[in-house]
mmCIF file of all heavy atoms in Angstrom:
data_model
loop_
_atom_site.group_PDB
_atom_site.id
_atom_site.type_symbol
_atom_site.label_atom_id
_atom_site.label_comp_id
_atom_site.label_asym_id
_atom_site.label_seq_id
_atom_site.Cartn_x
_atom_site.Cartn_y
_atom_site.Cartn_z
ATOM 1 N N ASP A 236 -62.974 -80.493 8.698
ATOM 2 C CA ASP A 236 -63.080 -81.503 7.643
ATOM 3 C C ASP A 236 -61.830 -82.391 7.638
ATOM 4 O O ASP A 236 -60.999 -82.311 6.748
ATOM 5 C CB ASP A 236 -63.229 -80.818 6.293
ATOM 6 C CG ASP A 236 -63.416 -81.812 5.151
ATOM 7 O OD1 ASP A 236 -63.797 -82.969 5.422
ATOM 8 O OD2 ASP A 236 -63.181 -81.429 3.990
ATOM 9 N N PRO A 237 -61.663 -83.237 8.672
ATOM 10 C CA PRO A 237 -60.461 -84.058 8.767
ATOM 11 C C PRO A 237 -60.273 -85.025 7.617
ATOM 12 O O PRO A 237 -59.162 -85.425 7.328
ATOM 13 C CB PRO A 237 -60.629 -84.802 10.105
ATOM 14 C CG PRO A 237 -62.113 -84.774 10.356
ATOM 15 C CD PRO A 237 -62.589 -83.474 9.811
ATOM 16 N N GLU A 238 -61.361 -85.386 6.923
ATOM 17 C CA GLU A 238 -61.269 -86.335 5.832
ATOM 18 C C GLU A 238 -61.166 -85.647 4.477
ATOM 19 O O GLU A 238 -61.166 -86.285 3.430
ATOM 20 C CB GLU A 238 -62.455 -87.287 5.839
ATOM 21 C CG GLU A 238 -62.538 -88.155 7.103
ATOM 22 C CD GLU A 238 -63.736 -89.080 7.086
ATOM 23 O OE1 GLU A 238 -64.518 -89.012 6.125
ATOM 24 O OE2 GLU A 238 -63.879 -89.842 8.050
ATOM 25 N N THR A 239 -61.094 -84.315 4.487
ATOM 26 C CA THR A 239 -60.976 -83.503 3.270
ATOM 27 C C THR A 239 -62.031 -83.893 2.231
ATOM 28 O O THR A 239 -61.730 -83.998 1.051
ATOM 29 C CB THR A 239 -59.573 -83.595 2.661
ATOM 30 O OG1 THR A 239 -59.348 -84.937 2.182
ATOM 31 C CG2 THR A 239 -58.522 -83.208 3.687
ATOM 32 N N SER A 240 -63.257 -84.064 2.678
ATOM 33 C CA SER A 240 -64.326 -84.519 1.750
ATOM 34 C C SER A 240 -65.362 -83.424 1.485
ATOM 35 O O SER A 240 -66.255 -83.621 0.672
ATOM 36 C CB SER A 240 -65.055 -85.724 2.354
ATOM 37 O OG SER A 240 -65.626 -85.373 3.618
ATOM 38 N N LEU A 241 -65.237 -82.283 2.134
ATOM 39 C CA LEU A 241 -66.233 -81.226 1.989
ATOM 40 C C LEU A 241 -65.773 -80.140 1.036
ATOM 41 O O LEU A 241 -64.590 -79.877 0.880
ATOM 42 C CB LEU A 241 -66.546 -80.601 3.381
ATOM 43 C CG LEU A 241 -67.060 -81.574 4.428
ATOM 44 C CD1 LEU A 241 -67.259 -80.851 5.744
ATOM 45 C CD2 LEU A 241 -68.345 -82.240 3.969
ATOM 46 N N VAL A 242 -66.734 -79.508 0.389
ATOM 47 C CA VAL A 242 -66.456 -78.441 -0.558
ATOM 48 C C VAL A 242 -65.987 -77.188 0.224
ATOM 49 O O VAL A 242 -66.568 -76.836 1.240
ATOM 50 C CB VAL A 242 -67.700 -78.073 -1.389
ATOM 51 C CG1 VAL A 242 -67.411 -76.911 -2.336
ATOM 52 C CG2 VAL A 242 -68.175 -79.285 -2.158
ATOM 53 N N GLY A 243 -64.945 -76.556 -0.290
ATOM 54 C CA GLY A 243 -64.448 -75.353 0.361
ATOM 55 C C GLY A 243 -63.393 -75.646 1.410
ATOM 56 O O GLY A 243 -62.960 -74.755 2.090
ATOM 57 N N SER A 244 -62.994 -76.907 1.510
ATOM 58 C CA SER A 244 -61.944 -77.272 2.470
ATOM 59 C C SER A 244 -61.017 -78.266 1.807
ATOM 60 O O SER A 244 -61.436 -79.311 1.348
ATOM 61 C CB SER A 244 -62.570 -77.923 3.713
ATOM 62 O OG SER A 244 -61.563 -78.354 4.594
ATOM 63 N N ALA A 245 -59.725 -77.926 1.813
ATOM 64 C CA ALA A 245 -58.738 -78.799 1.199
ATOM 65 C C ALA A 245 -57.903 -79.542 2.230
ATOM 66 O O ALA A 245 -56.924 -80.161 1.919
ATOM 67 C CB ALA A 245 -57.820 -77.976 0.276
ATOM 68 N N GLY A 246 -58.312 -79.484 3.480
ATOM 69 C CA GLY A 246 -57.531 -80.140 4.535
ATOM 70 C C GLY A 246 -58.349 -80.215 5.803
ATOM 71 O O GLY A 246 -59.565 -80.439 5.769
ATOM 72 N N SER A 247 -57.697 -80.033 6.924
ATOM 73 C CA SER A 247 -58.365 -80.259 8.221
ATOM 74 C C SER A 247 -59.293 -79.142 8.627
ATOM 75 O O SER A 247 -60.010 -79.277 9.597
ATOM 76 C CB SER A 247 -57.320 -80.479 9.308
ATOM 77 O OG SER A 247 -56.500 -79.337 9.439
ATOM 78 N N GLY A 248 -59.289 -78.040 7.932
ATOM 79 C CA GLY A 248 -60.178 -76.948 8.312
ATOM 80 C C GLY A 248 -60.059 -75.778 7.379
ATOM 81 O O GLY A 248 -59.149 -75.716 6.584
ATOM 82 N N SER A 249 -60.948 -74.838 7.488
ATOM 83 C CA SER A 249 -60.946 -73.702 6.578
ATOM 84 C C SER A 249 -61.877 -72.636 7.112
ATOM 85 O O SER A 249 -62.805 -72.926 7.846
ATOM 86 C CB SER A 249 -61.378 -74.181 5.199
ATOM 87 O OG SER A 249 -62.164 -73.255 4.523
ATOM 88 N N THR A 250 -61.626 -71.366 6.740
ATOM 89 C CA THR A 250 -62.615 -70.355 7.015
ATOM 90 C C THR A 250 -63.834 -70.651 6.172
ATOM 91 O O THR A 250 -63.729 -71.195 5.075
ATOM 92 C CB THR A 250 -62.083 -68.961 6.678
ATOM 93 O OG1 THR A 250 -61.606 -68.953 5.344
ATOM 94 C CG2 THR A 250 -60.945 -68.580 7.624
#
Side-chain angles (χ1 to χ4, degrees):
D236 183 20
E238 297 180 358
T239 67
S240 60
L241 302 177
V242 178
S244 175
S247 61
S249 143
T250 54

